[in-house]
Amino acid sequence: MKHEAAHSAQPERRKLTPRRVVSTILLVVGIILLVGAGGYWLSKQWEYHEQDVENQKLASYASFPEGDDGPPQIDWAGLKALNPDIVGWIYIPNTAINYPVYQGDSNDKYLRTNAEGKYSVGGQVFLDYQNTKPGMVDQQSIIYGHHLRNGAMFKAVADMDNQTTFDATTTVWYLTEDQNYELEPLLLYYTTGSDTDVRNLNPGTVDNLRTYLQSKLASAQTSRSDAQQVIQNTQHVLTLVTCNYYQDDGRTVLLCVPKSEAQDS
């Protein structure tokens, strides 16, 4: 009797059915996926943090004299000591765009590499490798920057696909060691990374350049109201290119003209 009582007191084992096995596997897979997603999110946040740290470090090479609403003063000697690939500085007032511009031996060099040669999610802002250094020499000079979702790098360029934002942006500065270029946005259009016409750096004659600009105006998302007239006096453009998230391999392209040429219209 004692043996039977002890035996009956033991808990009944639950049978391991196929359904229970599948449920357990799904639970384990779900946990692994959640942990992986959390790790990926934390990794991306760290990458963005590291990018912000690098951007702040480089921003220290630009200073804004008190009471002066013009472009920043750049420590070119310090920038060249850090990285001799420096060619310019891009600054758009009232936006986050205030960055050094580099030029590598290919357009891949600074996509994911910062000025100190380390991996960086946003790389550096860079001048097209086929443009004549330091920019604003060819008929079209192209500067590339990533569109980071936290607002850094060239997100402000992508935001100019809104006409109100575009109209509020009245000045774009491109600074080199020898000259400061004050420009204005002309138009913005969408394209894809496979569009080779974007990199038409020297269309030929001035008339060819203006025909090229007219073709971009025809497909513009936003533009200045007098763009047609401005194009008739344009001899050079500074083009800012970044990614957009509206189409596969999408690009947002902002064309800017020197104020001296725009005001002649």
Side-chain angles (χ1 to χ4, degrees):
M1 290 295 293
K2 289 183 180 180
H3 175 74
E4 290 180 359
H7 178 77
S8 62
Q10 292 180 2
E12 183 180 352
R13 285 187 181 179
R14 303 174 69 180
K15 294 182 179 179
L16 198 61
T17 65
R19 178 178 294 181
R20 191 176 304 283
V21 171
V22 171
S23 297
T24 302
I25 291 173
L26 289 176
L27 177 62
V28 172
V29 170
I31 292 172
I32 292 172
L33 289 175
L34 283 173
V35 171
Y40 178 79
W41 183 85
L42 289 173
S43 172
K44 286 301 178 184
Q45 294 306 304
W46 179 253
E47 288 181 351
Y48 273 67
H49 167 73
E50 290 290 285
Q51 183 70 55
D52 288 342
V53 169
E54 184 68 17
N55 289 345
Q56 291 168 9
K57 182 187 300 184
L58 293 173
S60 68
Y61 289 90
S63 59
F64 293 84
E66 188 174 351
D68 186 350
D69 59 358
Q73 295 180 358
I74 309 301
D75 177 7
W76 296 108
L79 285 169
K80 285 191 286 187
L82 178 69
N83 186 331
D85 283 347
I86 184 72
V87 292
W89 193 281
I90 185 77
Y91 168 61
I92 303 181
N94 303 313
T95 74
I97 296 177
N98 183 36
Y99 300 111
V101 179
Y102 297 87
Q103 186 181 43
D105 54 9
S106 77
N107 283 343
D108 293 329
K109 181 171 183 179
Y110 289 105
L111 272 178
R112 300 295 181 189
T113 302
N114 67 23
E116 299 177 88
K118 301 174 183 177
Y119 169 81
S120 177
V121 65
Q124 296 292 165
V125 174
F126 61 93
L127 180 70
D128 193 286
Y129 83 104
Q130 290 188 318
N131 268 131
T132 304
K133 191 183 296 186
M136 294 304 294
V137 177
D138 302 306
Q139 289 176 305
Q140 178 174 212
S141 297
I142 304 179
I143 295 176
Y144 305 90
H146 283 287
H147 173 182
L148 298 187
R149 294 182 185 273
N150 69 346
M153 310 309 284
F154 270 13
K155 182 181 183 299
V157 170
D159 290 344
M160 289 183 209
D161 62 357
N162 175 280
Q163 190 65 50
T164 300
T165 303
F166 181 95
D167 292 339
T169 308
T170 58
T171 301
V172 174
W173 287 100
Y174 182 60
L175 317 176
T176 70
E177 191 169 8
D178 298 322
Q179 190 168 347
N180 294 342
Y181 297 91
E182 187 176 10
L183 307 103
E184 301 176 8
L186 173 66
L187 63 91
L188 177 149
Y189 69 95
Y190 294 154
T191 188
T192 64
S194 60
D195 181 3
T196 58
D197 196 44
V198 173
R199 298 182 64 246
N200 192 345
L201 306 182
N202 287 294
T205 66
V206 173
D207 286 342
N208 286 349
L209 172 64
R210 292 169 183 170
T211 299
Y212 173 80
L213 297 178
Q214 289 285 359
S215 71
K216 302 308 178 188
L217 179 60
S219 60
Q221 297 292 317
T222 54
S223 64
R224 54 187 296 158
S225 59
D226 60 348
Q228 291 275 7
Q229 292 76 22
V230 170
I231 287 173
Q232 298 312 310
N233 290 288
T234 299
Q235 300 182 51
H236 303 86
V237 291
L238 178 69
T239 299
L240 309 183
V241 179
T242 192
C243 294
N244 69 46
Y245 297 112
Y246 308 123
Q247 57 196 119
D248 291 339
D249 196 30
R251 300 290 185 271
T252 296
V253 184
L254 176 70
L255 277 65
C256 306
V257 297
K259 284 197 173 187
S260 58
E261 296 177 16
Q263 291 166 359
D264 285 341
S265 61

PDB file of all heavy atoms in Angstrom, residues 193-206:
ATOM      1  N   GLY A 193      20.120  55.620 -59.283  1.00  0.00           N
ATOM      2  CA  GLY A 193      21.569  55.493 -59.295  1.00  0.00           C
ATOM      3  C   GLY A 193      22.131  55.070 -60.635  1.00  0.00           C
ATOM      4  O   GLY A 193      23.330  55.250 -60.897  1.00  0.00           O
ATOM      5  N   SER A 194      21.302  54.512 -61.500  1.00  0.00           N
ATOM      6  CA  SER A 194      21.771  54.068 -62.817  1.00  0.00           C
ATOM      7  C   SER A 194      21.694  55.170 -63.878  1.00  0.00           C
ATOM      8  O   SER A 194      22.088  54.947 -65.024  1.00  0.00           O
ATOM      9  CB  SER A 194      20.952  52.859 -63.281  1.00  0.00           C
ATOM     10  OG  SER A 194      19.574  53.194 -63.381  1.00  0.00           O
ATOM     11  N   ASP A 195      21.208  56.344 -63.513  1.00  0.00           N
ATOM     12  CA  ASP A 195      21.069  57.453 -64.457  1.00  0.00           C
ATOM     13  C   ASP A 195      22.433  58.121 -64.656  1.00  0.00           C
ATOM     14  O   ASP A 195      22.859  58.951 -63.853  1.00  0.00           O
ATOM     15  CB  ASP A 195      20.048  58.454 -63.931  1.00  0.00           C
ATOM     16  CG  ASP A 195      19.834  59.635 -64.874  1.00  0.00           C
ATOM     17  OD1 ASP A 195      20.443  59.648 -65.963  1.00  0.00           O
ATOM     18  OD2 ASP A 195      19.061  60.542 -64.513  1.00  0.00           O
ATOM     19  N   THR A 196      23.119  57.779 -65.731  1.00  0.00           N
ATOM     20  CA  THR A 196      24.456  58.326 -65.983  1.00  0.00           C
ATOM     21  C   THR A 196      24.418  59.784 -66.409  1.00  0.00           C
ATOM     22  O   THR A 196      25.434  60.480 -66.334  1.00  0.00           O
ATOM     23  CB  THR A 196      25.177  57.502 -67.075  1.00  0.00           C
ATOM     24  OG1 THR A 196      24.385  57.510 -68.271  1.00  0.00           O
ATOM     25  CG2 THR A 196      25.374  56.060 -66.618  1.00  0.00           C
ATOM     26  N   ASP A 197      23.250  60.275 -66.826  1.00  0.00           N
ATOM     27  CA  ASP A 197      23.148  61.666 -67.265  1.00  0.00           C
ATOM     28  C   ASP A 197      23.341  62.643 -66.108  1.00  0.00           C
ATOM     29  O   ASP A 197      23.660  63.810 -66.327  1.00  0.00           O
ATOM     30  CB  ASP A 197      21.788  61.907 -67.927  1.00  0.00           C
ATOM     31  CG  ASP A 197      21.748  63.196 -68.733  1.00  0.00           C
ATOM     32  OD1 ASP A 197      22.730  63.462 -69.469  1.00  0.00           O
ATOM     33  OD2 ASP A 197      20.753  63.941 -68.631  1.00  0.00           O
ATOM     34  N   VAL A 198      23.163  62.169 -64.885  1.00  0.00           N
ATOM     35  CA  VAL A 198      23.390  63.021 -63.713  1.00  0.00           C
ATOM     36  C   VAL A 198      24.820  63.534 -63.719  1.00  0.00           C
ATOM     37  O   VAL A 198      25.079  64.688 -63.389  1.00  0.00           O
ATOM     38  CB  VAL A 198      23.113  62.242 -62.406  1.00  0.00           C
ATOM     39  CG1 VAL A 198      23.502  63.075 -61.192  1.00  0.00           C
ATOM     40  CG2 VAL A 198      21.651  61.850 -62.327  1.00  0.00           C
ATOM     41  N   ARG A 199      25.756  62.685 -64.130  1.00  0.00           N
ATOM     42  CA  ARG A 199      27.180  63.013 -64.063  1.00  0.00           C
ATOM     43  C   ARG A 199      27.702  63.615 -65.370  1.00  0.00           C
ATOM     44  O   ARG A 199      28.839  63.387 -65.766  1.00  0.00           O
ATOM     45  CB  ARG A 199      27.987  61.770 -63.680  1.00  0.00           C
ATOM     46  CG  ARG A 199      27.629  61.222 -62.307  1.00  0.00           C
ATOM     47  CD  ARG A 199      28.465  60.009 -61.914  1.00  0.00           C
ATOM     48  NE  ARG A 199      29.873  60.352 -61.796  1.00  0.00           N
ATOM     49  CZ  ARG A 199      30.820  59.884 -62.585  1.00  0.00           C
ATOM     50  NH1 ARG A 199      30.510  59.057 -63.595  1.00  0.00           N
ATOM     51  NH2 ARG A 199      32.074  60.232 -62.401  1.00  0.00           N
ATOM     52  N   ASN A 200      26.889  64.420 -65.989  1.00  0.00           N
ATOM     53  CA  ASN A 200      27.325  65.158 -67.184  1.00  0.00           C
ATOM     54  C   ASN A 200      28.064  66.402 -66.702  1.00  0.00           C
ATOM     55  O   ASN A 200      27.478  67.474 -66.554  1.00  0.00           O
ATOM     56  CB  ASN A 200      26.110  65.518 -68.036  1.00  0.00           C
ATOM     57  CG  ASN A 200      26.499  66.018 -69.417  1.00  0.00           C
ATOM     58  OD1 ASN A 200      27.650  66.358 -69.656  1.00  0.00           O
ATOM     59  ND2 ASN A 200      25.533  66.066 -70.310  1.00  0.00           N
ATOM     60  N   LEU A 201      29.348  66.258 -66.463  1.00  0.00           N
ATOM     61  CA  LEU A 201      30.113  67.309 -65.794  1.00  0.00           C
ATOM     62  C   LEU A 201      30.413  68.498 -66.706  1.00  0.00           C
ATOM     63  O   LEU A 201      30.525  69.631 -66.222  1.00  0.00           O
ATOM     64  CB  LEU A 201      31.426  66.730 -65.249  1.00  0.00           C
ATOM     65  CG  LEU A 201      31.277  65.503 -64.340  1.00  0.00           C
ATOM     66  CD1 LEU A 201      32.637  65.056 -63.837  1.00  0.00           C
ATOM     67  CD2 LEU A 201      30.334  65.788 -63.177  1.00  0.00           C
ATOM     68  N   ASN A 202      30.550  68.236 -67.987  1.00  0.00           N
ATOM     69  CA  ASN A 202      30.839  69.308 -68.942  1.00  0.00           C
ATOM     70  C   ASN A 202      30.045  69.062 -70.222  1.00  0.00           C
ATOM     71  O   ASN A 202      30.551  68.437 -71.169  1.00  0.00           O
ATOM     72  CB  ASN A 202      32.339  69.373 -69.252  1.00  0.00           C
ATOM     73  CG  ASN A 202      33.142  69.943 -68.090  1.00  0.00           C
ATOM     74  OD1 ASN A 202      33.010  71.114 -67.740  1.00  0.00           O
ATOM     75  ND2 ASN A 202      33.973  69.112 -67.477  1.00  0.00           N
ATOM     76  N   PRO A 203      28.810  69.555 -70.281  1.00  0.00           N
ATOM     77  CA  PRO A 203      27.980  69.326 -71.475  1.00  0.00           C
ATOM     78  C   PRO A 203      28.560  69.922 -72.756  1.00  0.00           C
ATOM     79  O   PRO A 203      28.156  69.517 -73.845  1.00  0.00           O
ATOM     80  CB  PRO A 203      26.657  70.018 -71.107  1.00  0.00           C
ATOM     81  CG  PRO A 203      26.627  69.989 -69.613  1.00  0.00           C
ATOM     82  CD  PRO A 203      28.054  70.184 -69.199  1.00  0.00           C
ATOM     83  N   GLY A 204      29.488  70.859 -72.636  1.00  0.00           N
ATOM     84  CA  GLY A 204      30.101  71.439 -73.848  1.00  0.00           C
ATOM     85  C   GLY A 204      29.980  72.945 -73.848  1.00  0.00           C
ATOM     86  O   GLY A 204      30.517  73.625 -72.964  1.00  0.00           O
ATOM     87  N   THR A 205      29.263  73.477 -74.810  1.00  0.00           N
ATOM     88  CA  THR A 205      29.077  74.920 -74.872  1.00  0.00           C
ATOM     89  C   THR A 205      28.126  75.365 -73.760  1.00  0.00           C
ATOM     90  O   THR A 205      27.434  74.545 -73.135  1.00  0.00           O
ATOM     91  CB  THR A 205      28.491  75.330 -76.228  1.00  0.00           C
ATOM     92  OG1 THR A 205      27.159  74.792 -76.332  1.00  0.00           O
ATOM     93  CG2 THR A 205      29.339  74.810 -77.377  1.00  0.00           C
ATOM     94  N   VAL A 206      28.084  76.675 -73.535  1.00  0.00           N
ATOM     95  CA  VAL A 206      27.152  77.222 -72.548  1.00  0.00           C
ATOM     96  C   VAL A 206      25.722  76.889 -72.940  1.00  0.00           C
ATOM     97  O   VAL A 206      24.887  76.567 -72.090  1.00  0.00           O
ATOM     98  CB  VAL A 206      27.350  78.745 -72.408  1.00  0.00           C
ATOM     99  CG1 VAL A 206      26.272  79.343 -71.519  1.00  0.00           C
ATOM    100  CG2 VAL A 206      28.728  79.051 -71.832  1.00  0.00           C
TER     101      VAL A 206
END
